[in-house]
Amino acid sequence: SFPLQHPVIYTLLWAIAIGLACYALWNCVRAILDPEHRGQGGKSFLKRVGYSVSAVSHGFLAVYAFQAALGAAAAASGGERSVAQVLAYPGGRIAVGLAGLAVIVFGLFELYRAIVSDVGKEFTGSTLPAARRRMVMQVARLGLAARGVVFPIIGGSLVAVALGESPSRTQ
């Protein structure tokens, strides 16, 4: 069974929950305030709809992660069963390990973007008031940083499973 009481697992669940909630909030900001100045027409509208869908889906995942951290979620999730199924295929461990490494790299790139990159360059010539612009930029950095922390945790878990966990133990 999944040891929710283990301090490391418990801490990671909270980190994941907070990270997902922050990313959902950032997508809400992107969908509603349009800080990237995508506008209202055609592709821009679809992009903002995508941000809305992403906000809702990440919000649901955040709620589930908060429930898991509080001990309210079921021990075995569909995701664990799916990983076990992939591990059972020939080359499954390699596929899960590579997927885990890809998730880690993506997360580190997001962390890099949050810390080093020019978050907020989209606001050049913006009509947003300065105080709101600063707030949106901070939410953007927080959301990117949260993903930069959460994704390597998830990827590391996949790599760990690929390296040593038997498929029957992940069910």
Side-chain angles (χ1 to χ4, degrees):
S1 81
F2 194 66
L4 287 176
Q5 293 75 26
H6 191 280
V8 173
I9 298 298
Y10 183 75
T11 302
L12 292 177
L13 282 171
W14 277 105
I16 289 169
I18 292 167
L20 288 167
C22 289
Y23 189 65
L25 177 61
W26 169 233
N27 276 325
C28 284
V29 167
R30 289 169 46 171
I32 296 167
L33 298 178
D34 189 25
E36 299 164 330
H37 303 291
R38 298 207 182 266
Q40 302 294 323
K43 284 184 180 180
S44 302
F45 176 76
L46 290 176
K47 205 61 151 149
R48 291 174 73 181
V49 167
Y51 294 146
S52 299
V53 170
S54 179
V56 170
S57 63
H58 281 85
F60 280 123
L61 290 171
V63 168
Y64 181 80
F66 280 118
Q67 289 174 338
L70 293 170
S77 71
E80 290 169 330
R81 285 189 292 276
S82 297
V83 170
Q85 290 170 344
V86 172
L87 288 172
Y89 290 121
R93 287 191 185 281
I94 293 170
V96 169
L98 289 175
L101 288 174
V103 170
I104 290 170
V105 168
F106 177 76
L108 293 175
F109 177 70
E110 292 291 272
L111 191 58
Y112 168 81
R113 285 180 55 206
I115 296 170
V116 176
S117 80
D118 190 19
V119 173
K121 65 183 173 193
E122 301 88 2
F123 295 115
T124 303
S126 172
T127 58
L128 281 176
R132 183 174 285 179
R133 186 179 6 217
R134 282 190 301 278
M135 187 254 331
V136 169
M137 288 173 52
Q138 291 304 319
V139 170
R141 284 191 187 281
L142 184 61
L144 288 171
R147 281 177 56 131
V149 171
V150 170
F151 277 66
I153 291 169
I154 294 168
S157 298
L158 290 172
V159 169
V161 167
L163 292 176
E165 196 72 28
S166 72
S168 63
R169 292 190 61 203
T170 61
Q171 293 180 352

